[in-house]
Amino acid sequence: MRGPASAGSPGPDRSRGAPPALRAWAQALGAAVAGVVTMIVVAAIGLWAAGAADLPGGAFPSVVAATVLIAAGGSVGLSGDAGVIAEAKAALDVVPLSVTLAGALVLAAVFLLPLRHRAVAGTRELLARIARTAVCWLVLLLLVSLAARHSFRISVGDDLAEQIGTELGATPTVGFRADVPATLGVGLLWVLALLALTFLVSRRAPLSPRLLHYQDSVRPPAFAMVLTLLGYAVIGLVAGIVELITGDRPSQTLAVLFLGLPNLAWMALGIGTGGAWVGHVDKALGLPLPHLLDQVLRTHGQRTLDLGSLAAHDRRAWLLVALAAVVLLAAAFTAAVRSPVRRPAWRHGVEMAVALAVTLFAVGLLTRISAHYGLSVIGVGDLGGDLGGEVTLEPQLLRLVGLGLLWGLVTGVLGSLAARGVRHRGEAPAPPGAPEP
């Protein structure tokens, strides 16, 4: 045992750690940096596989920065210019959810590291940690925004056409630039929503005493839905790796995996439960789309993307129903096991119904696609050829939500019944010979 310090001793040794305030800011910065770096790496690999590294004018870093911003909820505006007699139009609204998911998982994991051994924390402390992380996140988004700008010259044909276009002031260009105010505003909401979801789902996240009463009713179904989404992403990853090894388009498959894997996997969840999206593909505009979706949607009119339309091209699409049933039953069983043992089955069903309806609503919003580029002369339409194209995909939200309520109710009740007789987390084992409750 150490004795008291003498009068000449230097006192407590503080060299072993930074001051608490500095350490807290370092933890917040570490979480934000880890999330951004992960998103940059995933976006760079996906865009490289999609061929963006060959873009002219050293545009690749700018395109990576723009992709990261969009994945983090930011806004990147597209603009076109074709001189005095022509007009170039462009619009893009699609979230690269592979980048989003990777960054969110890493940011949440690093954020929870200092809290992993605590069950309860004060409200002020938790809010302070969230605020510091949000500030660091916004600073990093601002830095990325400065790099997210570039412009491209669009080729309109052979050398003679290029020369004529230059002489007439009709050489088209298209560019993009980050909308900084919108990026910071929506980016703030994005990181706050992520951290709120982290506390809502993870048992490693401590709660304030005021919220402990709600954790048994909120955390199990929320965890079940996150488990469902991650499970579908893993299944999609396995299928993508098989396609990468056996298929004849490895670059496109790799681009899908690193840019749009959750987009497709979570749409499979919605379609498997009976949901639908409506849209069409005129030209893919460089967006990586699987061949089956391209077959269904490539038309000049609107097409419905659902079980029926997919099965018309590939009968294996009906397996999505069986997959949804297995995954949702497993999620409902997990939620029931993590809930108090005496909770009635109907309540599990209601909680799962609400949770799945909200999840499918979010999936519908996140998987929307709206992309267009066109060139017109004196305001007269797209010129055709390779100078115009469009991809649209919009969810039928009411259908998704309604079927989510039904599937959640049924699987929630069945999962609760299946969990009876299974020892729940935190439940003490019954002594030998004790009567059944």
Side-chain angles (χ1 to χ4, degrees):
M1 178 180 298
R2 294 176 59 186
S6 62
S9 66
D13 183 8
R14 301 184 183 276
S15 62
R16 298 173 61 183
L22 181 60
R23 185 167 60 250
W25 277 103
Q27 292 169 350
L29 181 60
V33 169
V36 169
V37 170
T38 300
M39 296 173 83
I40 290 175
V41 171
V42 173
I45 296 174
L47 291 168
W48 169 80
D54 298 327
L55 289 172
F60 184 65
S62 300
V63 174
V64 171
T67 303
V68 169
L69 288 184
I70 295 172
S75 178
V76 176
L78 301 182
S79 61
D81 180 23
V84 295
I85 67 169
E87 181 181 14
K89 296 180 180 180
L92 178 64
D93 182 12
V94 56
V95 180
L97 288 179
S98 293
V99 182
T100 302
L101 181 60
L105 290 176
V106 171
L107 191 156
V110 177
F111 176 83
L112 288 178
L113 281 178
L115 303 170
R116 64 189 182 278
H117 297 305
R118 300 170 60 182
V120 180
T123 302
R124 293 183 62 183
E125 178 191 354
L126 294 179
L127 291 178
R129 285 183 177 273
I130 292 173
R132 285 190 291 266
T133 304
V135 169
C136 294
W137 181 256
L138 291 181
V139 171
L140 293 177
L141 282 189
L142 179 60
L143 295 177
V144 175
S145 299
L146 299 179
R149 59 179 65 189
H150 199 81
S151 61
F152 305 93
R153 180 179 176 182
I154 306 300
S155 175
V156 296
D158 55 24
D159 293 339
L160 178 60
E162 291 282 347
Q163 183 177 355
I164 294 174
T166 301
E167 293 296 330
L168 295 177
T171 301
T173 61
V174 62
F176 62 88
R177 178 187 299 266
D179 185 342
V180 176
T183 293
L184 297 182
V186 181
L188 175 61
L189 296 178
W190 185 92
V191 72
L192 292 178
L194 170 63
L195 296 178
L197 183 62
T198 300
F199 281 100
L200 192 67
V201 171
S202 176
R203 281 181 166 163
R204 297 171 56 192
L207 295 176
S208 67
R210 296 179 180 179
L211 298 178
L212 290 176
H213 175 71
Y214 302 99
Q215 65 176 343
D216 288 337
S217 60
V218 175
R219 275 186 168 174
F223 175 80
M225 290 300 98
V226 171
L227 189 66
T228 297
L229 294 179
L230 293 180
Y232 263 85
V234 171
I235 294 170
L237 178 61
V238 172
I241 292 174
V242 172
E243 177 66 22
L244 186 65
I245 296 173
T246 62
D248 56 356
R249 296 184 294 178
S251 295
Q252 182 172 353
T253 301
L254 195 64
V256 171
L257 292 178
F258 279 88
L259 293 176
L261 171 62
N263 301 65
L264 301 176
W266 297 347
M267 283 176 60
L269 168 62
I271 292 173
T273 57
W277 279 254
V278 176
H280 78 280
V281 174
D282 182 14
K283 290 181 179 144
L285 299 176
L287 297 177
L289 289 177
H291 181 63
L292 180 57
L293 267 64
D294 188 73
Q295 281 184 309
V296 174
L297 297 174
R298 186 170 291 281
T299 175
H300 292 292
Q302 295 290 314
R303 290 289 304 273
T304 299
L305 181 66
D306 59 5
L307 280 169
S309 61
L310 288 177
H313 294 272
D314 190 337
R315 302 294 296 178
R316 292 174 297 178
W318 291 108
L319 294 175
L320 293 176
V321 180
L323 178 62
V326 171
V327 173
L328 291 176
L329 281 172
F333 175 83
T334 302
V337 171
R338 294 168 69 97
S339 299
V341 65
R342 299 188 185 278
R343 179 159 295 172
W346 67 264
R347 184 168 175 182
H348 281 291
V350 171
E351 291 174 353
M352 281 292 295
V354 173
L356 184 56
V358 171
T359 299
L360 290 180
F361 180 81
V363 165
L365 294 180
L366 290 173
T367 54
R368 295 174 60 253
I369 298 176
S370 177
H372 170 80
Y373 175 73
L375 176 66
S376 62
V377 175
I378 320 180
V380 180
D382 285 342
L383 295 183
D386 293 327
L387 301 179
E390 186 175 28
V391 178
T392 63
L393 197 62
E394 294 290 338
Q396 293 184 343
L397 292 176
L398 289 179
R399 182 171 170 177
L400 283 170
V401 171
L403 289 166
L405 289 171
L406 179 60
W407 275 79
L409 182 63
V410 173
T411 56
V413 171
L414 294 178
S416 176
L417 295 176
R420 291 183 177 179
V422 178
R423 184 154 66 96
H424 291 217
R425 186 179 178 92
E427 179 189 1
E436 291 292 332

